[in-house]
């Protein structure tokens, strides 16, 4: 029973990471109707920035917040400089741009930092936390906590602030957005910035467990994509729930059914399964087009 | 009366397709002016041109200053509210959020809160449905919402694109009555685009008739009503 609970909890901890990255994917998807394949690599690269800052002697949380700010700026710049010019281009061109970004960030990280894996510190204590008769890893508890705080802040931002409302409006109906005076282009850039910032936090939370290397986020992006699909690619709440579901499912199946080596196939099976059985996911909207 | 809006030699095109071929009209401050014409004459395009939603050439002056060439978002900030063709509802947001967006560029936050009550007094149905997703409102309610969203800007000029489209005649009358009330009590000038010429001429002070991208007739609403050609082609008697 103890082992089972620990597996579930570890699943929730990684699930939180998937939930964050899935949410970042959904945010870009809602605005552009495209999946940003470079999302994971931007997160990975941001984590390297954090690593550099920490190595340079900066305290962990200082590096953490500075990295979030840098990632946000990076996201905004990518939208303004690289994505904006292809806004009106055919879908395939934009997808190629996203894949190009993926390769660029991956190679850039390898070039600057080499492909040797690095240890990334956790801000949480090494000793396990004692809850009742159970022991939980402090880092996993902390990562879940950070994820929940990020999600709550995002929810409050989109739900209760004028800027959050404007961003939702711009993503939904850009033309009407302009007619009420929203600077739609900047809302898109802001969305990219937020997505990159969320990704950076996810990267910093997962790096202590999986170690830091340029391919760190490749598997995670797959799980996050599966999570977003399970929840419904256009539903932020669904993406978060999907993240936790995928995290727990992956861990339990890995521990008890198919073994750790085949874990990643869970994500692939989920992706194909959802697309075949229920393409709109748990909470997504079913799109009907009149012809 | 002072001129609020002055349009001269306005051309507009969607890509290679030219739709307006040099339109001229003026709108007096405080008036209701109607643009009439058949389907495809260029009425909607004229409104879209005023808000920089199509490529244009020619001159558009609002309150004496040129606004052609400025971005849609900036034109809104001058006090021009546009109720677009198809209503432009934010369907996944609540009624109240839709209204709040209408006041997005306003800085007087306290007055905005009061304006919610002002709007709900005109359209009590919207108050009942304020927490409902706007996409689930009926067509008439969405039209009320579109007009209300525009009014939340506290505009100097309201551009209305086919407010009667797809609505029951009784509802159209209600909306037109409210438009008249808003025009008179709040001094909002209105530029109205309508296919329903009879109703538009009852409401408007002046009217322009547009055919294939050109103004072919203009005058006071009464003069236009008396015009034989208009009577035969647009009023049907």
């Amino acid at each position: 029973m103890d082992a089972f609970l620990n597996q579930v909890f570890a699943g929730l901890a990684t699930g939180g990471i998937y939930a964050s990255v899935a949410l970042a994917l959904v945010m870009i998807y809602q605005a552009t109707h495209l999946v940003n394949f470079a999302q994971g690599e931007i997160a990975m690269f941001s984590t390297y920035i954090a690593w550099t800052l920490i190595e340079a002697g900066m305290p962990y949380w200082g590096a953490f917040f500075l990295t979030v700010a840098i990632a946000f700026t990076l996201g905004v710049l990518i939208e303004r400089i690289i994505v904006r010019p292809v806004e009106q281009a055919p879908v395939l061109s934009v997808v190629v741009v996203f894949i190009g970004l993926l390769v660029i960030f991956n190679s850039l990280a390898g070039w600057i930092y080499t492909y040797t894996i690095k240890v990334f510190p956790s801000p949480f204590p090494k000793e396990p936390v004692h809850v009742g008769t159970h022991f939980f890893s402090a880092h996993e508890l902390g990562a879940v906590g950070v994820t929940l705080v990020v999600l709550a802040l995002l929810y409050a931002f989109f739900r209760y602030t004028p800027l959050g409302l404007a961003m939702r409006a711009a993503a939904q109906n850009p033309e009407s957005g302009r007619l009420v005076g929203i600077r739609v282009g900047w809302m898109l850039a802001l969305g990219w910035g937020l997505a990159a910032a969320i990704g950076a936090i996810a990267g910093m939370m997962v790096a202590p467990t999986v170690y830091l290397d340029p391919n760190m986020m490749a598997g995670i992006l797959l799980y996050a994509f599966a999570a977003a699909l399970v929840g419904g690619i256009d539903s932020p709440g669904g993406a978060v729930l999907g993240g936790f579901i995928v995290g727990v499912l992956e861990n339990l199946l890995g521990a008890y059914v198919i073994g750790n080596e085949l874990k990643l196939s869970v994500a692939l099976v989920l992706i194909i399964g959802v697309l075949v059985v229920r393409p709109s996911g748990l909470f997504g909207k079913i799109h009907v087009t009149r012809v | 009366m002072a001129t609020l809006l002055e349009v001269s030699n306005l051309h507009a095109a969607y890509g290679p397709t030219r739709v307006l071929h040099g339109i001229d009209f003026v709108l007096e401050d405080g008036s209701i002016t109607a643009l009439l014409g058949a389907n495809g004459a260029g009425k909607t395009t004229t409104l879209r041109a005023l808000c920089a939603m199509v490529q244009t050439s020619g001159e558009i002056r609002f309150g004496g200053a040129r606004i052609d060439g400025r971005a849609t978002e900036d034109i809104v900030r001058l006090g021009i509210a546009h109720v677009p063709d198809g209503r432009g509802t934010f369907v996944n947001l609540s009624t109240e959020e839709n209204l709040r967006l209408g006041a997005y560029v306003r800085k007087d936050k306290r007055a905005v809160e009061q304006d919610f009550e002002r709007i709900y007094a005109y359209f009590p149905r919207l108050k009942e449905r304020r927490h409902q997703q706007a996409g689930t409102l009926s067509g008439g309610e969405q039209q009320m919402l579109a007009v209300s969203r525009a009014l939340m800007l506290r505009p100097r000029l309201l551009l209305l694109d086919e407010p009667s489209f797809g609505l029951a005649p009784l509802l159209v009358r209600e909306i037109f009555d409210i438009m008249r009330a808003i025009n008179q009590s709040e001094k909002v000038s209105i530029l109205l685009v309508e296919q329903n010429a009879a109703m538009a001429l009852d409401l408007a002070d002046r009217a322009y008739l547009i055919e294939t991208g050109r103004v072919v007739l203009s005058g006071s609403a009464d003069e236009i009503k008396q015009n034989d050609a208009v009577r035969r082609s647009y009023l049907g008697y």
Side-chain angles (χ1 to χ4, degrees), chain B residues 153-225:
Chain B
L153 178 69
R154 284 254 171 194
R156 289 178 69 192
L157 174 62
L158 184 60
L159 309 179
L160 286 175
D161 199 344
E162 299 270 4
S164 72
F165 184 78
L167 299 188
L170 216 61
L171 200 57
V172 175
R173 182 141 311 245
E174 190 189 328
I175 289 183
F176 274 45
D177 285 345
I178 292 171
M179 289 304 99
R180 179 177 289 124
I182 286 164
N183 170 253
Q184 277 163 10
S185 64
E186 306 188 16
K187 304 285 167 254
V188 178
S189 310
I190 298 177
L191 181 61
L192 172 70
V193 153
E194 260 296 343
Q195 273 196 72
N196 187 337
M199 295 210 64
L201 287 171
D202 280 343
L203 182 66
D205 307 307
R206 275 187 77 78
Y208 292 82
L209 182 63
I210 299 177
E211 273 174 14
T212 55
R214 288 182 181 84
V215 172
V216 292
L217 191 67
S218 68
S220 75
D222 290 329
E223 282 164 25
I224 301 276
K225 255 189 231 174

Side-chain angles (χ1 to χ4, degrees), chain A residues 15-35:
Chain A
I17 306 295
Y18 304 155
S20 305
V21 179
L23 190 64
L25 289 177
V26 168
M27 279 178 55
I28 303 287
Y29 182 85
Q30 281 192 318
T32 61
H33 290 274
L34 289 166
V35 173

Side-chain angles (χ1 to χ4, degrees), chain B residues 31-173:
Chain B
S31 76
I32 300 181
T33 300
L35 301 180
L36 308 175
N39 233 340
K43 307 183 301 291
T44 293
T45 305
T46 306
L47 288 197
R48 292 174 65 88
L50 296 178
C51 286
M53 293 159 78
V54 283
Q55 300 163 256
T56 60
S57 67
E59 226 182 89
I60 305 169
R61 286 179 182 275
F62 180 70
R66 283 189 71 158
I67 60 167
D68 49 280
R70 304 187 67 165
T72 306
E73 304 90 292
D74 296 317
I75 291 170
V76 176
R77 285 173 168 77
L78 300 173
I80 300 181
H82 188 157
V83 179
D85 184 29
R87 301 174 189 134
T89 313
F90 298 99
V91 289
N92 295 327
L93 304 181
S94 73
T95 300
E96 194 175 288
E97 286 173 327
N98 268 271
L99 292 177
R100 195 167 289 286
L101 283 164
Y104 177 71
V105 302
R106 285 174 60 183
K107 300 278 175 270
D108 48 342
K109 294 302 167 201
R110 194 170 301 160
V112 169
E113 296 309 319
Q114 288 165 3
D115 277 358
F116 276 101
E117 290 311 318
R118 184 176 66 99
I119 295 291
Y120 290 147
Y122 283 122
F123 301 107
R125 287 286 281 284
L126 293 183
K127 186 170 192 174
E128 286 168 33
R129 306 206 184 276
R130 63 184 185 276
H131 299 304
Q132 198 170 319
Q133 244 193 18
T136 65
L137 300 180
S138 73
E141 288 162 349
Q142 285 195 34
Q143 189 63 59
M144 295 176 192
L145 178 59
V147 170
S148 304
R149 195 179 65 223
L151 289 175
M152 285 299 284
L153 178 69
R154 284 254 171 194
R156 289 178 69 192
L157 174 62
L158 184 60
L159 309 179
L160 286 175
D161 199 344
E162 299 270 4
S164 72
F165 184 78
L167 299 188
L170 216 61
L171 200 57
V172 175
R173 182 141 311 245

